[in-house]
């Protein structure tokens, strides 16, 4: 899968633009799912994944770890 297809899938599901710079939980969770899908379905590095949303590798890594926790407990 390409990053464009994954982004469209996530945006269509949540009906939001995940590139919007906000900390609203719905956007944070949607971006975390986007990062997780990119990490699992592509060979992109964390730095490259972060750059797709104008963020750094640490943000992508943190989001991936948090989404795994959210999926386990929610």
């Amino acid at each position: 899968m390409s990053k464009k297809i994954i982004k469209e899938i996530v945006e269509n599901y949540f009906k939001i633009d995940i590139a919007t710079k906000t900390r609203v939980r719905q956007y944070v969770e949607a971006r975390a799912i986007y990062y997780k899908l990119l990490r699992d379905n592509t060979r992109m590095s964390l730095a490259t994944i972060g750059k797709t949303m104008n963020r750094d590798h640490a943000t992508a890594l943190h989001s991936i770890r948090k989404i795994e926790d959210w999926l386990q407990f929610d």
Side-chain angles (χ1 to χ4, degrees):
M1 273 197 205
S2 71
K3 64 182 175 183
K4 183 179 177 183
I5 293 171
I6 292 173
K7 184 177 181 199
E8 287 175 4
I9 290 169
V10 173
E11 287 180 338
N12 288 337
Y13 181 81
F14 285 96
K15 297 182 181 24
I16 58 173
D17 178 18
I18 61 174
T20 303
K21 191 167 182 132
T22 182
R23 292 184 183 176
V24 175
R25 185 172 178 113
Q26 181 182 14
Y27 288 82
V28 172
E29 288 178 351
R31 280 193 298 266
I33 291 170
Y34 169 73
Y35 296 144
K36 178 74 172 150
L37 289 172
L38 279 180
R39 189 67 173 167
D40 291 345
N41 296 306
T42 66
R43 296 182 55 106
M44 295 172 71
S45 67
L46 288 171
T48 306
I49 292 170
K51 285 180 187 177
T52 64
M53 290 286 122
N54 294 324
R55 290 170 171 71
D56 63 0
H57 74 283
T59 304
L61 180 60
H62 177 74
S63 295
I64 290 169
R65 288 181 178 165
K66 292 307 285 183
I67 195 66
E68 290 172 353
D69 291 341
W70 292 335
L71 291 173
Q72 184 177 6
F73 294 107
D74 287 345

